Amino acid sequence: MHDADDSSPEPAPDPAGELSRSEDADVTVRVDRIAVDGTYVRVSSIGQPGDRAFVLVAGLGIAATYYERLAPHLNENGPVHALDLPGFAGVPKFGGAVSIERYADAVEHVLRELRLADPVLIGHSMGTQVVTEVAARNPHIRDLVLISPVTDDRARTIPKAAFRFLRSALHEPAAVRWHAVSAYALCGWHWFRRVLPQMIAFPIEDRAPHVRARTLIVRGEHDALVPRDWIRSLARVFPHAVLREVVDGAHSVMHAQADAVARLAVAHVEGRITDRGVGSLRRVRDDTTSSDLARLGPKDAWLVVKSRFTELFGMAEGDDEQLERAKSAHAVAMADGDGIPVDPDDRRAVVDEVAPEVRKHD
């Protein structure tokens, strides 16, 4: 193992012990609504039902689409539920005041409705605050994964946080920028402006000591919004924390370096990462995935583009069936790009519903 300042990063742990996969991935995405607090949470699920599920909570203004590359890798090890919270991704907003605690209330309600007794909670950016609050209230939760946790006490003003975010954005792939722009447009400036101060002010370090879960904290090497010394300080207040830094990653490391983050998450849940505390910071490298459409063939690239626009229209119109079709087609393309095998019959059924022209000349 090497410290974060070492020039020789370790490879991300492989949950299977090798890169090959013996089973076809499930690419059928199910979309459900769970009523909560005068609105609902949209839940996009992949994989077979089970108690030991991964529950993914995205950041401020962001749709669950941000997890489009992470979810299939996690799905090899358990069912995955990605949440669109009220006010984001076309989901109706809360009435009245909004807070991180209120979002945590919504996530707790979803866990109860899905009957998840022991989920693995994964949060990104503002989502780390939400899942930390949930874990602090529920000491029976065993595993927590915080990706790019915000915000450190030296950046708790909107100008400072915005400047750091823009610095990080310079290192993000084009696909992530597109997701951000489209998601923020659906969120709307008015709601974004209401939630942003809550995220900036939330003292995650005050809730950390109440968390009993084993906590994996991951940052990207170029994430200016989440400095290295900040995650080290978090390791001092989370009772059971382990730290990892992904080489070449930025704030949205779970998208651009999805394979590395998924492997870390699975290894953490399986108990194969045994170090912890401030001295546990290690660098890992992901040489197996690429972050943009360059890794896809022409047909899969077209499938990504068409399914993405279909999904955006589905969000805007509140059409869950359209969302299911689009998300499933997108999962096919992502699986192809990341080398995850898909059952040919499933592929045919999914693709024909969104882009039948892709198979016309097969």
Side-chain angles (χ1 to χ4, degrees):
M1 293 285 189
H2 305 278
D3 190 74
D5 297 316
D6 197 293
S7 60
S8 303
E10 64 184 15
D14 185 348
E18 55 185 10
L19 291 177
S20 62
R21 301 169 172 93
S22 59
E23 296 184 2
D24 293 332
D26 185 351
V27 293
T28 302
V29 180
R30 302 175 304 283
V31 175
D32 299 291
R33 298 182 182 188
I34 295 180
V36 55
D37 201 2
T39 176
Y40 63 85
V41 174
R42 182 191 294 128
V43 182
S44 299
S45 303
I46 192 168
Q48 298 303 313
D51 287 339
R52 196 60 171 154
F54 295 91
V55 176
L56 315 183
V57 180
L60 172 61
I62 297 302
T65 306
Y66 248 52
Y67 286 116
E68 65 189 2
R69 296 192 63 214
L70 183 65
H73 291 282
L74 295 175
N75 180 222
E76 297 172 45
N77 299 276
V80 179
H81 307 286
L83 311 187
D84 286 320
L85 298 178
F88 309 146
V91 175
K93 306 170 181 63
F94 286 127
V98 65
S99 65
I100 299 301
E101 290 83 359
R102 197 171 180 188
Y103 277 117
D105 293 342
V107 172
E108 282 188 298
H109 183 74
V110 169
L111 299 183
R112 289 192 296 269
E113 289 296 306
L114 293 177
R115 298 182 180 180
L116 301 179
D118 186 25
V120 179
L121 299 183
I122 299 181
H124 170 251
S125 195
M126 190 188 89
T128 64
Q129 300 174 336
V130 176
V131 298
T132 294
E133 178 65 27
V134 173
R137 300 176 185 179
N138 295 273
H140 66 277
I141 290 176
R142 288 188 294 159
D143 291 296
L144 187 65
V145 179
L146 307 181
I147 305 169
S148 310
V150 292
T151 306
D152 74 90
D153 55 9
R154 290 182 296 175
R156 285 187 179 149
T157 68
I158 292 176
K160 287 182 180 178
F163 177 68
R164 287 188 180 186
F165 180 78
L166 291 174
R167 284 175 56 199
S168 297
L170 296 174
H171 299 277
E172 301 283 18
V176 168
R177 296 193 195 106
W178 159 250
H179 288 321
V181 170
S182 58
Y184 293 148
L186 281 171
C187 174
W189 169 244
H190 176 69
W191 188 251
F192 187 92
R193 185 177 58 185
R194 286 187 61 188
V195 182
L196 178 61
Q198 303 298 321
M199 183 195 82
I200 295 294
F202 186 81
I204 190 173
E205 68 275 16
D206 289 350
R207 299 302 288 149
H210 302 279
V211 173
R212 291 292 165 263
R214 297 180 307 129
T215 305
L216 169 66
I217 302 175
V218 182
R219 77 175 291 266
E221 177 184 19
H222 302 299
D223 189 353
L225 190 59
V226 183
R228 186 180 291 168
D229 60 356
W230 165 236
I231 66 167
R232 280 180 166 141
S233 70
L234 288 179
R236 295 185 177 96
V237 289
F238 277 93
H240 307 281
V242 60
L243 309 178
R244 290 295 186 268
E245 178 178 279
V246 181
V247 175
D248 293 332
H251 193 60
S252 298
V253 63
M254 78 293 184
H255 189 281
Q257 285 82 23
D259 193 70
V261 175
R263 289 168 185 269
L264 286 170
V266 172
H268 171 68
V269 169
E270 293 181 346
R272 291 186 287 108
I273 298 179
T274 57
D275 52 340
R276 75 183 204 187
V278 177
S280 68
L281 185 57
R282 304 285 186 271
R283 284 159 50 97
V284 299
R285 184 183 298 279
D286 180 3
D287 294 320
T288 65
T289 59
S290 174
S291 59
D292 275 309
L293 296 182
R295 73 187 190 283
L296 304 177
K299 291 181 180 180
D300 280 326
W302 169 244
L303 187 58
V304 164
V305 172
K306 188 168 183 180
S307 63
R308 176 58 64 245
F309 278 101
T310 302
E311 182 178 2
L312 286 173
F313 284 124
M315 289 180 185
E317 296 171 2
D319 187 338
D320 292 349
E321 291 185 0
Q322 187 175 8
L323 280 174
E324 286 184 342
R325 293 192 296 270
K327 287 175 177 287
S328 296
H330 199 278
V332 168
M334 291 295 100
D336 287 348
D338 288 336
I340 301 174
V342 177
D343 181 88
D345 291 334
D346 288 347
R347 177 194 303 277
R348 186 178 305 109
V350 165
V351 172
D352 282 354
E353 287 191 324
V354 173
E357 66 275 12
V358 167
R359 294 203 314 111
K360 275 186 178 178
H361 303 293
D362 284 355

